Amino acid sequence: MNLKILSRNPNLYSTARLQEAGLKRGHSVEVIDPLKCDLIIEKKNPTVFYKNRTLETADAVIPRIGASITFYGTAVVRQFEMMNTFTTTTSQALVRSRDKLRSLQILSRSKLGLPKTVFTNYSRDVGEMIAHVGGAPLIIKLLEGTQGLGVVLAETKNAAESVIEAFNGLEARVIVQEYIKEAKGADLRAFVVDGQIVGAMKRQGKEGEFRSNLHRGGTAEIITLSDEEENAAIKAAKAMGLGVAGVDMLQSERGPLILEVNSSPGLEGIEKATGKDIAKTIIRYIERSI
């Protein structure tokens, strides 16, 4: 098969591992920088022009689209879809996953457990927002934040009011969520491929850090999910329309609570924690789908 990986950097761990896995399976694999693609749109002949050449028809693309290039990256994925190319992440699912508010609404509609969340249009009644999630401590998140950036733990009502008012003054959209104390700064990442859990890890924030992101110095270890956690992760990926997804959950007294469904989950943490060849699993998913 002719595979294209849409990634800005061929040396990134996830990109390199996917290319390696594809080549080992006997496929032709090329890394394409989506920002260097020109999209030619015409009747019955949509094409992608890249580095002074028209890209030959690909059998499948693997989008590794960073949050900062979502708009143009999604357009490139959509162009390949117009060319009848299989994609591990559809353009629609990519757009949905990058909109935190829309994602939470979709997950809520699917009756999945979530931390209680409040979103308002720069409300001046900040005290009411805080009350809606049960008071402080609470979590404040920028809608556009990634990898733990733009996420604040406000431990008191005064601190929460100050942070929310500051974001409102900057016209930065935020959501306010309840703080799940029993999670103790840890979360679960379930890696879902084609409706199956292919790996799971527990991520623990470093001492004094409530965010468990590995990019923020957190640690990861392999974990066996409960049936309830497995079902929640699979259902969340399906609700978002994602064939490949990283589902982040908190363990709480009322069961698993979905934090986020990531459409471009990194492979390094999950492969190192579990010892599993997740990249190969993704390539085999493509093989079954074409």
Side-chain angles (χ1 to χ4, degrees), residues 6 38 45 52 80 110 123 175 188 190 208 225 229 236 244 249 252 261 281 288:
L6 301 180
D38 295 333
N45 189 34
N52 300 315
F80 277 107
S110 298
S123 172
I175 55 176
L188 309 180
L225 299 177
E229 289 161 351
V244 176
M249 300 177 285
S252 80
V261 183
T281 302
R288 292 193 304 270

Side-chain angles (χ1 to χ4, degrees), residues 153 179-188 202-212 219 249-253:
L153 168 63
Y179 176 65
I180 308 302
K181 183 179 179 180
E182 60 267 28
K184 298 177 181 178
D187 71 5
L188 309 180
K202 185 171 186 177
R203 303 181 300 188
Q204 179 69 56
K206 63 183 180 181
E207 188 174 352
E209 174 62 75
F210 73 97
R211 294 168 293 187
S212 59
T219 57
M249 300 177 285
L250 293 178
Q251 293 176 307
S252 80
E253 294 172 350

Side-chain angles (χ1 to χ4, degrees), residues 1 3 25 27 60 86 88 192-198 243-244 278-290:
M1 288 190 303
L3 308 180
R25 300 283 297 174
H27 305 302
F86 175 78
T88 56
V192 182
V193 177
D194 195 21
Q196 300 293 322
I197 305 287
V198 298
V244 176
I278 305 296
K280 178 181 176 181
T281 302
I282 294 172
I283 301 299
R284 293 186 67 181
Y285 161 49
I286 295 171
E287 294 168 350
R288 292 193 304 270
S289 302
I290 297 177

Side-chain angles (χ1 to χ4, degrees), residues 174 194 228 241 276 284:
V174 297
D194 195 21
E228 189 179 10
K276 294 183 178 181
R284 293 186 67 181

Side-chain angles (χ1 to χ4, degrees), residues 15-37:
T15 302
R17 283 288 296 116
L18 287 165
Q19 185 172 34
E20 177 189 21
L23 292 172
K24 279 186 177 179
R25 300 283 297 174
H27 305 302
S28 170
V29 186
E30 182 180 10
V31 178
I32 299 292
D33 183 345
L35 293 190
K36 294 181 180 177
C37 291

Side-chain angles (χ1 to χ4, degrees), residues 100 139-143 150-152 173-177 259:
K100 282 190 175 69
I139 304 294
I140 303 163
K141 294 181 180 179
L142 278 172
L143 282 180
V151 181
V152 178
R173 300 281 187 184
V174 297
I175 55 176
V176 177
Q177 289 186 325
L259 283 176

Side-chain angles (χ1 to χ4, degrees), residues 6 39 41 46 48 61 63 65 70-85 87 89-92 94-95:
L6 301 180
L39 310 181
I41 304 165
V48 177
V61 295
I65 306 296
T70 296
F71 177 80
Y72 198 79
T74 300
V76 175
V77 175
R78 191 180 303 116
Q79 188 81 351
F80 277 107
E81 290 171 341
M82 291 168 62
M83 296 161 61
N84 297 316
T85 302
T87 175
T89 303
T90 67
S91 56
Q92 277 287 82
L94 181 56
V95 169

